[in-house]
Amino acid sequence: MEPGLTTHVSDGTATVTISNTGKRNAMTVQMWRDLPPLLDRLAGDRAVRSLVLTGEGGTFCAGADIGSLRGNAAGESQGLAVAAEEALAAFPKPTLAAIRGYCVGGGAQLAAACDLRFAEEGALFGVTPAKLGVVYPASATRRLVRLVGLATAKYLLFSGELIDCARALRTGLVDEVPAEGELAKRVAEFSAVLASRSLLTQTAAKELANGTWDVPPAEAEERGAHWAAQARASGDTAEGAAAFLERRAPRFTWPTP
């Protein structure tokens, strides 16, 4: 089977699977190139409420496929990897990395660009540019620092050493560690929870949480006012309150047709 990215949409969840099993699901140049337009398509699909990124079989992603790099392809690959990572981080709906086995190098970049990371017991994580003499991208470095803190980011970047699930959970690199064999079930359960909640709330919260780091306070306030107006116009706030009082599941409608 040729390396590639496969997509399946079910019950509001789009699952994107990294498939290059002969090389621990390493990302080829073409796979990096294919990810942004795939994400654009899924972002515009009204049936998609959340996105799960995972790897085929027992590995999430072992980074870049070094065998696919020839001549100037290394520089091209890093540029494409950054573009793919930024596209994933900018995906407007909730994203979750479902991780088994190795989550290393470019795989760790992709996982960090997701909103949440669930990892099965036994998963291993590593940020490995120091093993290759690569300068880690500025955007990926900032994202890693925000996620795990300065000290842990330096440990990972300076050493390239792998860390286990327990340490990843303790440092904030991972959000949940289901027991071995339970990852798919837990991800499905959590995806169902996301689908039942307000997409308006989720989309606004994602933009505001991500954007307040890098914009002036006045601009952040302006975006907050924009989302408050969206909530009033959509009727979702009133629906949420009515559903709570009537003890029923809410029927959120944003975005309206």
Side-chain angles (χ1 to χ4, degrees), residues 135-148:
V135 176
Y136 207 52
S139 58
T141 301
R142 287 195 301 269
R143 185 168 291 113
L144 184 65
V145 170
R146 291 171 184 172
L147 187 59
V148 302

PDB file of all heavy atoms in Angstrom, residues 135-148:
ATOM      1  N   VAL A 135      17.448  22.787  12.724  1.00  0.00           N
ATOM      2  CA  VAL A 135      16.927  23.864  13.560  1.00  0.00           C
ATOM      3  C   VAL A 135      15.407  23.735  13.604  1.00  0.00           C
ATOM      4  O   VAL A 135      14.741  23.804  12.562  1.00  0.00           O
ATOM      5  CB  VAL A 135      17.331  25.242  13.014  1.00  0.00           C
ATOM      6  CG1 VAL A 135      16.684  26.362  13.841  1.00  0.00           C
ATOM      7  CG2 VAL A 135      18.853  25.389  13.025  1.00  0.00           C
ATOM      8  N   TYR A 136      14.875  23.501  14.777  1.00  0.00           N
ATOM      9  CA  TYR A 136      13.426  23.307  14.916  1.00  0.00           C
ATOM     10  C   TYR A 136      12.715  24.599  14.541  1.00  0.00           C
ATOM     11  O   TYR A 136      13.137  25.691  14.927  1.00  0.00           O
ATOM     12  CB  TYR A 136      13.120  22.929  16.368  1.00  0.00           C
ATOM     13  CG  TYR A 136      11.873  22.101  16.557  1.00  0.00           C
ATOM     14  CD1 TYR A 136      11.662  20.939  15.843  1.00  0.00           C
ATOM     15  CD2 TYR A 136      10.915  22.480  17.491  1.00  0.00           C
ATOM     16  CE1 TYR A 136      10.529  20.166  16.036  1.00  0.00           C
ATOM     17  CE2 TYR A 136       9.778  21.714  17.704  1.00  0.00           C
ATOM     18  CZ  TYR A 136       9.591  20.559  16.964  1.00  0.00           C
ATOM     19  OH  TYR A 136       8.467  19.798  17.168  1.00  0.00           O
ATOM     20  N   PRO A 137      11.617  24.527  13.786  1.00  0.00           N
ATOM     21  CA  PRO A 137      10.926  25.746  13.328  1.00  0.00           C
ATOM     22  C   PRO A 137      10.480  26.623  14.498  1.00  0.00           C
ATOM     23  O   PRO A 137      10.095  26.131  15.565  1.00  0.00           O
ATOM     24  CB  PRO A 137       9.723  25.198  12.559  1.00  0.00           C
ATOM     25  CG  PRO A 137      10.117  23.817  12.149  1.00  0.00           C
ATOM     26  CD  PRO A 137      10.998  23.310  13.245  1.00  0.00           C
ATOM     27  N   ALA A 138      10.518  27.925  14.272  1.00  0.00           N
ATOM     28  CA  ALA A 138      10.146  28.862  15.341  1.00  0.00           C
ATOM     29  C   ALA A 138       8.707  28.646  15.800  1.00  0.00           C
ATOM     30  O   ALA A 138       8.420  28.664  17.004  1.00  0.00           O
ATOM     31  CB  ALA A 138      10.334  30.299  14.848  1.00  0.00           C
ATOM     32  N   SER A 139       7.798  28.429  14.847  1.00  0.00           N
ATOM     33  CA  SER A 139       6.393  28.237  15.219  1.00  0.00           C
ATOM     34  C   SER A 139       6.212  26.987  16.062  1.00  0.00           C
ATOM     35  O   SER A 139       5.466  26.984  17.051  1.00  0.00           O
ATOM     36  CB  SER A 139       5.519  28.157  13.970  1.00  0.00           C
ATOM     37  OG  SER A 139       5.951  27.098  13.120  1.00  0.00           O
ATOM     38  N   ALA A 140       6.903  25.914  15.697  1.00  0.00           N
ATOM     39  CA  ALA A 140       6.803  24.668  16.453  1.00  0.00           C
ATOM     40  C   ALA A 140       7.439  24.819  17.827  1.00  0.00           C
ATOM     41  O   ALA A 140       6.951  24.256  18.816  1.00  0.00           O
ATOM     42  CB  ALA A 140       7.475  23.532  15.686  1.00  0.00           C
ATOM     43  N   THR A 141       8.527  25.571  17.917  1.00  0.00           N
ATOM     44  CA  THR A 141       9.188  25.795  19.209  1.00  0.00           C
ATOM     45  C   THR A 141       8.271  26.570  20.148  1.00  0.00           C
ATOM     46  O   THR A 141       8.110  26.203  21.324  1.00  0.00           O
ATOM     47  CB  THR A 141      10.502  26.557  19.010  1.00  0.00           C
ATOM     48  OG1 THR A 141      11.359  25.806  18.147  1.00  0.00           O
ATOM     49  CG2 THR A 141      11.204  26.784  20.338  1.00  0.00           C
ATOM     50  N   ARG A 142       7.655  27.639  19.651  1.00  0.00           N
ATOM     51  CA  ARG A 142       6.726  28.421  20.485  1.00  0.00           C
ATOM     52  C   ARG A 142       5.566  27.556  20.953  1.00  0.00           C
ATOM     53  O   ARG A 142       5.171  27.616  22.128  1.00  0.00           O
ATOM     54  CB  ARG A 142       6.193  29.623  19.704  1.00  0.00           C
ATOM     55  CG  ARG A 142       7.190  30.745  19.500  1.00  0.00           C
ATOM     56  CD  ARG A 142       6.496  32.020  19.044  1.00  0.00           C
ATOM     57  NE  ARG A 142       5.774  31.835  17.798  1.00  0.00           N
ATOM     58  CZ  ARG A 142       6.300  32.045  16.607  1.00  0.00           C
ATOM     59  NH1 ARG A 142       7.560  32.431  16.491  1.00  0.00           N
ATOM     60  NH2 ARG A 142       5.573  31.870  15.505  1.00  0.00           N
ATOM     61  N   ARG A 143       5.026  26.752  20.040  1.00  0.00           N
ATOM     62  CA  ARG A 143       3.879  25.912  20.411  1.00  0.00           C
ATOM     63  C   ARG A 143       4.279  24.893  21.479  1.00  0.00           C
ATOM     64  O   ARG A 143       3.524  24.643  22.433  1.00  0.00           O
ATOM     65  CB  ARG A 143       3.336  25.201  19.167  1.00  0.00           C
ATOM     66  CG  ARG A 143       2.068  24.399  19.413  1.00  0.00           C
ATOM     67  CD  ARG A 143       1.422  23.954  18.111  1.00  0.00           C
ATOM     68  NE  ARG A 143       0.879  25.098  17.392  1.00  0.00           N
ATOM     69  CZ  ARG A 143       1.331  25.552  16.227  1.00  0.00           C
ATOM     70  NH1 ARG A 143       2.342  24.956  15.635  1.00  0.00           N
ATOM     71  NH2 ARG A 143       0.774  26.590  15.651  1.00  0.00           N
ATOM     72  N   LEU A 144       5.460  24.307  21.349  1.00  0.00           N
ATOM     73  CA  LEU A 144       5.922  23.339  22.335  1.00  0.00           C
ATOM     74  C   LEU A 144       6.110  23.989  23.697  1.00  0.00           C
ATOM     75  O   LEU A 144       5.722  23.424  24.729  1.00  0.00           O
ATOM     76  CB  LEU A 144       7.228  22.700  21.852  1.00  0.00           C
ATOM     77  CG  LEU A 144       7.805  21.597  22.727  1.00  0.00           C
ATOM     78  CD1 LEU A 144       6.869  20.386  22.759  1.00  0.00           C
ATOM     79  CD2 LEU A 144       9.196  21.191  22.223  1.00  0.00           C
ATOM     80  N   VAL A 145       6.707  25.181  23.732  1.00  0.00           N
ATOM     81  CA  VAL A 145       6.924  25.881  25.002  1.00  0.00           C
ATOM     82  C   VAL A 145       5.590  26.185  25.681  1.00  0.00           C
ATOM     83  O   VAL A 145       5.433  25.998  26.891  1.00  0.00           O
ATOM     84  CB  VAL A 145       7.743  27.167  24.774  1.00  0.00           C
ATOM     85  CG1 VAL A 145       7.757  28.034  26.036  1.00  0.00           C
ATOM     86  CG2 VAL A 145       9.172  26.827  24.363  1.00  0.00           C
ATOM     87  N   ARG A 146       4.621  26.657  24.904  1.00  0.00           N
ATOM     88  CA  ARG A 146       3.310  26.960  25.480  1.00  0.00           C
ATOM     89  C   ARG A 146       2.642  25.716  26.036  1.00  0.00           C
ATOM     90  O   ARG A 146       1.911  25.774  27.029  1.00  0.00           O
ATOM     91  CB  ARG A 146       2.412  27.589  24.408  1.00  0.00           C
ATOM     92  CG  ARG A 146       2.845  28.982  23.987  1.00  0.00           C
ATOM     93  CD  ARG A 146       2.053  29.441  22.779  1.00  0.00           C
ATOM     94  NE  ARG A 146       2.507  30.735  22.300  1.00  0.00           N
ATOM     95  CZ  ARG A 146       2.102  31.310  21.178  1.00  0.00           C
ATOM     96  NH1 ARG A 146       1.222  30.681  20.413  1.00  0.00           N
ATOM     97  NH2 ARG A 146       2.556  32.484  20.813  1.00  0.00           N
ATOM     98  N   LEU A 147       2.902  24.594  25.402  1.00  0.00           N
ATOM     99  CA  LEU A 147       2.234  23.347  25.778  1.00  0.00           C
ATOM    100  C   LEU A 147       2.850  22.723  27.033  1.00  0.00           C
ATOM    101  O   LEU A 147       2.130  22.317  27.948  1.00  0.00           O
ATOM    102  CB  LEU A 147       2.311  22.369  24.606  1.00  0.00           C
ATOM    103  CG  LEU A 147       1.539  21.070  24.707  1.00  0.00           C
ATOM    104  CD1 LEU A 147       0.046  21.344  24.885  1.00  0.00           C
ATOM    105  CD2 LEU A 147       1.771  20.234  23.455  1.00  0.00           C
ATOM    106  N   VAL A 148       4.174  22.639  27.079  1.00  0.00           N
ATOM    107  CA  VAL A 148       4.823  21.883  28.160  1.00  0.00           C
ATOM    108  C   VAL A 148       5.659  22.740  29.092  1.00  0.00           C
ATOM    109  O   VAL A 148       6.161  22.245  30.103  1.00  0.00           O
ATOM    110  CB  VAL A 148       5.704  20.749  27.584  1.00  0.00           C
ATOM    111  CG1 VAL A 148       4.890  19.817  26.724  1.00  0.00           C
ATOM    112  CG2 VAL A 148       6.896  21.310  26.800  1.00  0.00           C
TER     113      VAL A 148
END
